[in-house]
Amino acid sequence: MKTDGFDELDRSLVHALQLDGRAPFSRIAEVLGVSDQTVARRYGRLRGAGMIKVMGLTDPVALGEIEWIVRVQCTPDAAVAVAEALARRPDTSWVCLMSGGTEIGVVCRSASSRDSDALLLQKLPRTPSVVGVTAHCMVHEFFGGPLGLVNKSGALTEEQAARMRHPASAAADARAVTPPERTVPVTLTDADRRLLDVLAEDGRAGLADLAAVTGWSQSTVRRRLSELRADGTLYYDVDYDARHFGLGVMISLWLSVAPSELAATGTALAQHPEVAFACATTGPHNLFASVLCPDVRALYTYLTTRIAALPAVRDMETAPLIRRLKGPGPNGYGRVGSGPITSALSSARVR
């Protein structure tokens, strides 16, 4: 089920950008075997049509931040409005309507435990239409961030992917296997934050634009981008509609795994071609994954083969995604792949 208007060259371009979001069009063209003008034209068309978006995002671990997977239960008439309110917050990403439309899944990011308390214990429960909240702290990421699902798609050959891979991508692979021992979070300056704000909106923003917002010279901008990427603070991600890769069904998968087998099971899960994200969490289900399949039959096959073959799994819960309101990053509301909103806004707000 690959949608119209998105061909093999487009999919290869997405894969190339996931490996190096700021790669020059000339380098991408050389790897793909087409002209610079063809790559520039394709990228311009896809970005202009809202079909892809390259973003420069920050790693929460590098900054000492905490991420939570939050499940919000709402009254049926208010779920869309509450989800929209959550999606407008800069500290949320991946806001989705789940199951029967009365549950919202959202990733919340906080600078500290105190900030987490303010969001989870004060702001959400005060919303009248919210009838329940459960929060699961992400304690280890097995797959995600710069390691996008498109890297498992085969859109590029192994040789092409190796040529496109930025040195920071290899470092990200290594960090996924062996997380670095960070004792002191990276400290960002005000200029760094202005730089990152622009990159979160457009990961391919020009050096002149970045120099203007930071007050730095273009050479200083180039050097700082290299530093932030080299130490894992900054990475690039591509937002796109997974249906363009033939993936029409997405679920949240919650697994309960014996603690002694959590690391091994999470590592194995991360290798599955259907898994777009996987992490260890707090709570009775201590392993979470976002799973994408072509259709429900493929999903059934996945659950009864690959998941069934994981010996340490003791319990499983699945929740299908009905509509995505916000994707990766702080500015993803209403962006690529966001589903249509069918209900009018009510008075529900999360501030």
Short mmCIF file of all heavy atoms in Angstrom, two decimals, residues 78-136:
data_model
loop_
_atom_site.label_atom_id
_atom_site.label_comp_id
_atom_site.label_asym_id
_atom_site.label_seq_id
_atom_site.Cartn_x
_atom_site.Cartn_y
_atom_site.Cartn_z
N ALA A 78 -14.41 14.59 24.37
CA ALA A 78 -13.35 15.59 24.58
C ALA A 78 -11.97 15.12 24.16
O ALA A 78 -11.02 15.89 24.24
CB ALA A 78 -13.32 16.00 26.05
N ALA A 79 -11.82 13.88 23.70
CA ALA A 79 -10.49 13.32 23.44
C ALA A 79 -9.72 14.14 22.41
O ALA A 79 -8.53 14.43 22.58
CB ALA A 79 -10.61 11.87 23.00
N VAL A 80 -10.38 14.52 21.32
CA VAL A 80 -9.69 15.26 20.27
C VAL A 80 -9.22 16.62 20.80
O VAL A 80 -8.08 17.03 20.56
CB VAL A 80 -10.59 15.44 19.04
CG1 VAL A 80 -9.95 16.42 18.05
CG2 VAL A 80 -10.82 14.10 18.36
N ALA A 81 -10.08 17.31 21.53
CA ALA A 81 -9.72 18.62 22.04
C ALA A 81 -8.56 18.54 23.03
O ALA A 81 -7.64 19.37 23.01
CB ALA A 81 -10.93 19.28 22.70
N VAL A 82 -8.58 17.54 23.91
CA VAL A 82 -7.49 17.38 24.87
C VAL A 82 -6.20 17.03 24.13
O VAL A 82 -5.12 17.55 24.45
CB VAL A 82 -7.84 16.30 25.91
CG1 VAL A 82 -6.63 16.00 26.80
CG2 VAL A 82 -9.01 16.76 26.78
N ALA A 83 -6.30 16.15 23.13
CA ALA A 83 -5.12 15.78 22.35
C ALA A 83 -4.55 16.99 21.62
O ALA A 83 -3.32 17.17 21.56
CB ALA A 83 -5.48 14.68 21.35
N GLU A 84 -5.41 17.82 21.06
CA GLU A 84 -4.93 19.03 20.39
C GLU A 84 -4.23 19.97 21.36
O GLU A 84 -3.21 20.58 21.04
CB GLU A 84 -6.09 19.75 19.71
CG GLU A 84 -6.58 19.05 18.45
CD GLU A 84 -7.58 19.91 17.70
OE1 GLU A 84 -8.46 20.50 18.35
OE2 GLU A 84 -7.46 20.00 16.47
N ALA A 85 -4.80 20.10 22.55
CA ALA A 85 -4.18 20.95 23.56
C ALA A 85 -2.80 20.43 23.94
O ALA A 85 -1.84 21.18 24.09
CB ALA A 85 -5.08 21.05 24.78
N LEU A 86 -2.68 19.11 24.10
CA LEU A 86 -1.38 18.51 24.39
C LEU A 86 -0.41 18.71 23.24
O LEU A 86 0.78 18.98 23.45
CB LEU A 86 -1.55 17.02 24.68
CG LEU A 86 -2.12 16.64 26.05
CD1 LEU A 86 -2.54 15.18 26.06
CD2 LEU A 86 -1.10 16.91 27.14
N ALA A 87 -0.90 18.58 22.02
CA ALA A 87 -0.03 18.71 20.85
C ALA A 87 0.55 20.11 20.72
O ALA A 87 1.64 20.28 20.17
CB ALA A 87 -0.81 18.34 19.59
N ARG A 88 -0.15 21.11 21.21
CA ARG A 88 0.35 22.48 21.11
C ARG A 88 1.45 22.78 22.12
O ARG A 88 2.14 23.80 22.00
CB ARG A 88 -0.80 23.47 21.28
CG ARG A 88 -1.71 23.57 20.06
CD ARG A 88 -2.66 24.74 20.19
NE ARG A 88 -3.66 24.51 21.21
CZ ARG A 88 -4.85 23.95 20.98
NH1 ARG A 88 -5.16 23.55 19.75
NH2 ARG A 88 -5.71 23.78 21.95
N ARG A 89 1.64 21.92 23.09
CA ARG A 89 2.68 22.16 24.09
C ARG A 89 4.06 21.90 23.49
O ARG A 89 4.26 20.90 22.78
CB ARG A 89 2.48 21.25 25.31
CG ARG A 89 1.23 21.54 26.12
CD ARG A 89 1.15 20.59 27.31
NE ARG A 89 2.33 20.72 28.16
CZ ARG A 89 2.37 21.47 29.26
NH1 ARG A 89 1.30 22.15 29.63
NH2 ARG A 89 3.47 21.53 29.98
N PRO A 90 5.06 22.74 23.79
CA PRO A 90 6.41 22.51 23.26
C PRO A 90 7.15 21.36 23.92
O PRO A 90 8.18 20.92 23.41
CB PRO A 90 7.12 23.84 23.53
CG PRO A 90 6.41 24.41 24.72
CD PRO A 90 4.97 24.00 24.56
N ASP A 91 6.63 20.86 25.05
CA ASP A 91 7.31 19.77 25.75
C ASP A 91 6.69 18.41 25.45
O ASP A 91 6.92 17.44 26.17
CB ASP A 91 7.31 20.01 27.27
CG ASP A 91 5.92 20.26 27.84
OD1 ASP A 91 4.94 20.24 27.06
OD2 ASP A 91 5.80 20.48 29.06
N THR A 92 5.92 18.31 24.37
CA THR A 92 5.32 17.03 23.98
C THR A 92 5.74 16.68 22.55
O THR A 92 6.10 17.53 21.75
CB THR A 92 3.79 17.06 24.04
OG1 THR A 92 3.28 17.99 23.07
CG2 THR A 92 3.30 17.43 25.43
N SER A 93 5.65 15.39 22.25
CA SER A 93 5.82 14.89 20.89
C SER A 93 4.98 13.61 20.78
O SER A 93 4.50 13.08 21.78
CB SER A 93 7.29 14.60 20.58
OG SER A 93 7.83 13.65 21.48
N TRP A 94 4.80 13.16 19.58
CA TRP A 94 4.07 11.92 19.31
C TRP A 94 2.74 11.86 20.08
O TRP A 94 2.50 10.99 20.91
CB TRP A 94 4.93 10.69 19.64
CG TRP A 94 6.09 10.56 18.72
CD1 TRP A 94 7.41 10.79 19.00
CD2 TRP A 94 6.04 10.23 17.33
NE1 TRP A 94 8.18 10.61 17.88
CE2 TRP A 94 7.37 10.25 16.83
CE3 TRP A 94 5.00 9.91 16.44
CZ2 TRP A 94 7.67 9.98 15.51
CZ3 TRP A 94 5.32 9.64 15.13
CH2 TRP A 94 6.64 9.67 14.67
N VAL A 95 1.88 12.81 19.78
CA VAL A 95 0.54 12.86 20.37
C VAL A 95 -0.41 12.12 19.43
O VAL A 95 -0.57 12.52 18.27
CB VAL A 95 0.07 14.31 20.58
CG1 VAL A 95 -1.32 14.32 21.20
CG2 VAL A 95 1.07 15.06 21.46
N CYS A 96 -1.02 11.05 19.93
CA CYS A 96 -1.85 10.20 19.08
C CYS A 96 -3.13 9.80 19.80
O CYS A 96 -3.12 9.58 21.02
CB CYS A 96 -1.10 8.92 18.70
SG CYS A 96 0.48 9.21 17.88
N LEU A 97 -4.21 9.68 19.05
CA LEU A 97 -5.44 9.08 19.56
C LEU A 97 -5.32 7.58 19.38
O LEU A 97 -5.01 7.08 18.29
CB LEU A 97 -6.65 9.60 18.80
CG LEU A 97 -7.10 11.04 19.10
CD1 LEU A 97 -8.23 11.44 18.18
CD2 LEU A 97 -7.51 11.17 20.56
N MET A 98 -5.59 6.84 20.46
CA MET A 98 -5.39 5.40 20.46
C MET A 98 -6.72 4.68 20.65
O MET A 98 -7.72 5.28 21.05
CB MET A 98 -4.43 4.99 21.58
CG MET A 98 -3.14 5.80 21.65
SD MET A 98 -2.10 5.67 20.17
CE MET A 98 -1.67 3.92 20.24
N SER A 99 -6.69 3.38 20.42
CA SER A 99 -7.78 2.46 20.74
C SER A 99 -9.12 2.97 20.24
O SER A 99 -9.27 3.29 19.08
CB SER A 99 -7.80 2.20 22.25
OG SER A 99 -6.55 1.70 22.68
N GLY A 100 -10.09 3.11 21.14
CA GLY A 100 -11.43 3.52 20.74
C GLY A 100 -11.62 5.01 20.66
O GLY A 100 -12.75 5.48 20.57
N GLY A 101 -10.54 5.78 20.68
CA GLY A 101 -10.65 7.23 20.60
C GLY A 101 -10.83 7.91 21.94
O GLY A 101 -11.03 9.12 22.00
N THR A 102 -10.76 7.14 23.03
CA THR A 102 -10.87 7.74 24.36
C THR A 102 -9.53 7.74 25.10
O THR A 102 -9.47 8.17 26.24
CB THR A 102 -11.91 6.98 25.21
OG1 THR A 102 -11.52 5.61 25.30
CG2 THR A 102 -13.28 7.09 24.59
N GLU A 103 -8.49 7.24 24.45
CA GLU A 103 -7.16 7.26 25.06
C GLU A 103 -6.21 8.04 24.17
O GLU A 103 -6.24 7.92 22.94
CB GLU A 103 -6.62 5.85 25.28
CG GLU A 103 -5.21 5.84 25.89
CD GLU A 103 -4.72 4.44 26.21
OE1 GLU A 103 -5.50 3.65 26.77
OE2 GLU A 103 -3.54 4.16 25.90
N ILE A 104 -5.37 8.85 24.80
CA ILE A 104 -4.35 9.62 24.10
C ILE A 104 -2.99 9.11 24.54
O ILE A 104 -2.72 8.96 25.74
CB ILE A 104 -4.47 11.12 24.43
CG1 ILE A 104 -5.86 11.64 24.06
CG2 ILE A 104 -3.38 11.93 23.71
CD1 ILE A 104 -6.19 12.97 24.69
N GLY A 105 -2.13 8.84 23.59
CA GLY A 105 -0.74 8.52 23.88
C GLY A 105 0.11 9.73 23.57
O GLY A 105 -0.05 10.37 22.53
N VAL A 106 1.02 10.08 24.47
CA VAL A 106 1.86 11.26 24.27
C VAL A 106 3.20 11.06 24.95
O VAL A 106 3.28 10.44 26.02
CB VAL A 106 1.15 12.53 24.82
CG1 VAL A 106 0.74 12.36 26.27
CG2 VAL A 106 2.03 13.77 24.67
N VAL A 107 4.24 11.55 24.32
CA VAL A 107 5.57 11.56 24.94
C VAL A 107 5.80 12.95 25.50
O VAL A 107 5.69 13.95 24.78
CB VAL A 107 6.68 11.21 23.93
CG1 VAL A 107 8.06 11.37 24.56
CG2 VAL A 107 6.49 9.79 23.41
N CYS A 108 6.08 13.03 26.80
CA CYS A 108 6.34 14.30 27.48
C CYS A 108 7.81 14.37 27.88
O CYS A 108 8.39 13.37 28.29
CB CYS A 108 5.47 14.44 28.72
SG CYS A 108 3.70 14.47 28.38
N ARG A 109 8.36 15.54 27.78
CA ARG A 109 9.79 15.75 28.06
C ARG A 109 9.93 16.85 29.09
O ARG A 109 9.33 17.92 28.95
CB ARG A 109 10.49 16.12 26.77
CG ARG A 109 12.00 16.23 26.84
CD ARG A 109 12.54 16.25 25.44
NE ARG A 109 13.95 16.58 25.38
CZ ARG A 109 14.68 16.48 24.28
NH1 ARG A 109 14.13 16.06 23.16
NH2 ARG A 109 15.97 16.80 24.29
N SER A 110 10.71 16.60 30.11
CA SER A 110 10.88 17.59 31.17
C SER A 110 12.36 17.74 31.50
O SER A 110 13.14 16.81 31.37
CB SER A 110 10.10 17.20 32.43
OG SER A 110 10.53 15.93 32.90
N ALA A 111 12.71 18.94 31.97
CA ALA A 111 14.11 19.23 32.26
C ALA A 111 14.57 18.60 33.56
O ALA A 111 15.77 18.41 33.77
CB ALA A 111 14.33 20.74 32.32
N SER A 112 13.62 18.25 34.44
CA SER A 112 13.97 17.70 35.75
C SER A 112 12.80 16.96 36.32
O SER A 112 11.68 17.01 35.79
CB SER A 112 14.40 18.82 36.71
OG SER A 112 13.28 19.65 37.00
N SER A 113 13.02 16.28 37.45
CA SER A 113 11.93 15.59 38.13
C SER A 113 10.87 16.58 38.60
O SER A 113 9.67 16.29 38.59
CB SER A 113 12.48 14.80 39.32
OG SER A 113 13.37 13.80 38.88
N ARG A 114 11.29 17.75 39.03
CA ARG A 114 10.34 18.76 39.48
C ARG A 114 9.42 19.19 38.35
O ARG A 114 8.22 19.33 38.52
CB ARG A 114 11.07 19.98 40.04
CG ARG A 114 10.15 21.08 40.54
CD ARG A 114 10.94 22.23 41.14
NE ARG A 114 11.74 21.78 42.27
CZ ARG A 114 12.57 22.58 42.93
NH1 ARG A 114 12.73 23.84 42.56
NH2 ARG A 114 13.25 22.11 43.96
N ASP A 115 10.00 19.39 37.14
CA ASP A 115 9.17 19.74 35.99
C ASP A 115 8.22 18.61 35.63
O ASP A 115 7.09 18.85 35.21
CB ASP A 115 10.06 20.07 34.80
CG ASP A 115 10.86 21.35 35.00
OD1 ASP A 115 10.38 22.22 35.75
OD2 ASP A 115 11.95 21.47 34.43
N SER A 116 8.68 17.36 35.78
CA SER A 116 7.79 16.22 35.52
C SER A 116 6.61 16.24 36.47
O SER A 116 5.46 16.00 36.07
CB SER A 116 8.57 14.91 35.68
OG SER A 116 9.63 14.82 34.76
N ASP A 117 6.86 16.53 37.74
CA ASP A 117 5.79 16.60 38.72
C ASP A 117 4.76 17.64 38.34
O ASP A 117 3.54 17.42 38.44
CB ASP A 117 6.35 16.93 40.11
CG ASP A 117 7.19 15.80 40.69
OD1 ASP A 117 7.11 14.68 40.14
OD2 ASP A 117 7.92 16.05 41.66
N ALA A 118 5.22 18.80 37.87
CA ALA A 118 4.30 19.88 37.52
C ALA A 118 3.36 19.47 36.40
O ALA A 118 2.17 19.77 36.42
CB ALA A 118 5.09 21.13 37.13
N LEU A 119 3.90 18.75 35.40
CA LEU A 119 3.06 18.32 34.28
C LEU A 119 2.13 17.18 34.67
O LEU A 119 0.93 17.22 34.45
CB LEU A 119 3.93 17.90 33.09
CG LEU A 119 3.18 17.28 31.91
CD1 LEU A 119 2.25 18.30 31.27
CD2 LEU A 119 4.16 16.75 30.87
N LEU A 120 2.71 16.15 35.29
CA LEU A 120 1.96 14.91 35.50
C LEU A 120 1.03 14.97 36.70
O LEU A 120 -0.02 14.31 36.70
CB LEU A 120 2.94 13.75 35.67
CG LEU A 120 3.90 13.52 34.50
CD1 LEU A 120 4.90 12.44 34.84
CD2 LEU A 120 3.13 13.17 33.25
N LEU A 121 1.39 15.74 37.73
CA LEU A 121 0.60 15.74 38.95
C LEU A 121 -0.32 16.95 39.08
O LEU A 121 -1.26 16.93 39.86
CB LEU A 121 1.53 15.67 40.17
CG LEU A 121 2.45 14.45 40.23
CD1 LEU A 121 3.31 14.51 41.49
CD2 LEU A 121 1.64 13.17 40.20
N GLN A 122 -0.05 18.01 38.35
CA GLN A 122 -0.84 19.22 38.52
C GLN A 122 -1.63 19.58 37.27
O GLN A 122 -2.85 19.75 37.33
CB GLN A 122 0.10 20.39 38.88
CG GLN A 122 0.85 20.19 40.19
CD GLN A 122 1.87 21.28 40.45
OE1 GLN A 122 1.76 22.38 39.92
NE2 GLN A 122 2.88 20.98 41.25
N LYS A 123 -0.97 19.68 36.12
CA LYS A 123 -1.65 20.25 34.96
C LYS A 123 -2.64 19.29 34.29
O LYS A 123 -3.77 19.64 34.02
CB LYS A 123 -0.60 20.73 33.95
CG LYS A 123 0.24 21.86 34.53
CD LYS A 123 1.36 22.28 33.58
CE LYS A 123 2.21 23.37 34.22
NZ LYS A 123 3.34 23.78 33.38
N LEU A 124 -2.21 18.05 34.04
CA LEU A 124 -3.12 17.13 33.37
C LEU A 124 -4.35 16.79 34.20
O LEU A 124 -5.47 16.85 33.71
CB LEU A 124 -2.38 15.86 32.98
CG LEU A 124 -1.58 15.92 31.68
CD1 LEU A 124 -0.78 14.64 31.49
CD2 LEU A 124 -2.49 16.15 30.50
N PRO A 125 -4.21 16.41 35.49
CA PRO A 125 -5.40 16.04 36.25
C PRO A 125 -6.39 17.18 36.44
O PRO A 125 -7.54 16.94 36.75
CB PRO A 125 -4.82 15.59 37.60
CG PRO A 125 -3.42 15.19 37.29
CD PRO A 125 -2.98 16.16 36.23
N ARG A 126 -5.97 18.43 36.28
CA ARG A 126 -6.88 19.55 36.45
C ARG A 126 -7.79 19.76 35.26
O ARG A 126 -8.70 20.58 35.30
CB ARG A 126 -6.08 20.83 36.72
CG ARG A 126 -5.42 20.86 38.10
CD ARG A 126 -4.69 22.15 38.33
NE ARG A 126 -4.05 22.19 39.64
CZ ARG A 126 -3.32 23.19 40.10
NH1 ARG A 126 -3.11 24.24 39.32
NH2 ARG A 126 -2.78 23.15 41.30
N THR A 127 -7.51 19.06 34.16
CA THR A 127 -8.37 19.17 33.00
C THR A 127 -9.62 18.33 33.24
O THR A 127 -9.53 17.11 33.41
CB THR A 127 -7.63 18.66 31.75
OG1 THR A 127 -6.41 19.38 31.62
CG2 THR A 127 -8.47 18.86 30.51
N PRO A 128 -10.82 18.93 33.27
CA PRO A 128 -12.03 18.19 33.69
C PRO A 128 -12.33 16.95 32.85
O PRO A 128 -12.87 15.98 33.38
CB PRO A 128 -13.14 19.24 33.54
CG PRO A 128 -12.44 20.55 33.64
CD PRO A 128 -11.10 20.35 33.02
N SER A 129 -11.99 16.98 31.57
CA SER A 129 -12.34 15.86 30.71
C SER A 129 -11.38 14.69 30.83
O SER A 129 -11.61 13.64 30.24
CB SER A 129 -12.36 16.33 29.25
OG SER A 129 -13.31 17.37 29.07
N VAL A 130 -10.30 14.86 31.58
CA VAL A 130 -9.35 13.76 31.79
C VAL A 130 -9.81 12.92 32.97
O VAL A 130 -9.97 13.42 34.08
CB VAL A 130 -7.93 14.32 32.05
CG1 VAL A 130 -6.98 13.19 32.45
CG2 VAL A 130 -7.41 15.03 30.81
N VAL A 131 -10.04 11.64 32.72
CA VAL A 131 -10.54 10.75 33.77
C VAL A 131 -9.47 9.80 34.30
O VAL A 131 -9.69 9.10 35.29
CB VAL A 131 -11.76 9.95 33.27
CG1 VAL A 131 -12.91 10.89 32.93
CG2 VAL A 131 -11.40 9.09 32.06
N GLY A 132 -8.31 9.78 33.65
CA GLY A 132 -7.23 8.92 34.13
C GLY A 132 -5.92 9.21 33.43
O GLY A 132 -5.92 9.57 32.25
N VAL A 133 -4.83 9.09 34.16
CA VAL A 133 -3.49 9.32 33.60
C VAL A 133 -2.54 8.26 34.16
O VAL A 133 -2.51 8.03 35.37
CB VAL A 133 -2.95 10.72 33.96
CG1 VAL A 133 -1.53 10.89 33.40
CG2 VAL A 133 -3.87 11.82 33.44
N THR A 134 -1.80 7.61 33.28
CA THR A 134 -0.70 6.74 33.71
C THR A 134 0.55 7.20 33.00
O THR A 134 0.51 7.53 31.81
CB THR A 134 -0.97 5.26 33.40
OG1 THR A 134 -1.22 5.12 31.99
CG2 THR A 134 -2.16 4.74 34.18
N ALA A 135 1.66 7.24 33.72
CA ALA A 135 2.91 7.75 33.15
C ALA A 135 4.02 6.72 33.37
O ALA A 135 4.15 6.15 34.46
CB ALA A 135 3.28 9.07 33.80
N HIS A 136 4.80 6.51 32.34
CA HIS A 136 5.89 5.53 32.36
C HIS A 136 7.17 6.23 31.97
O HIS A 136 7.28 6.76 30.86
CB HIS A 136 5.60 4.38 31.40
CG HIS A 136 4.24 3.76 31.59
ND1 HIS A 136 4.05 2.62 32.32
CD2 HIS A 136 3.01 4.15 31.15
CE1 HIS A 136 2.76 2.32 32.33
NE2 HIS A 136 2.11 3.23 31.63
#
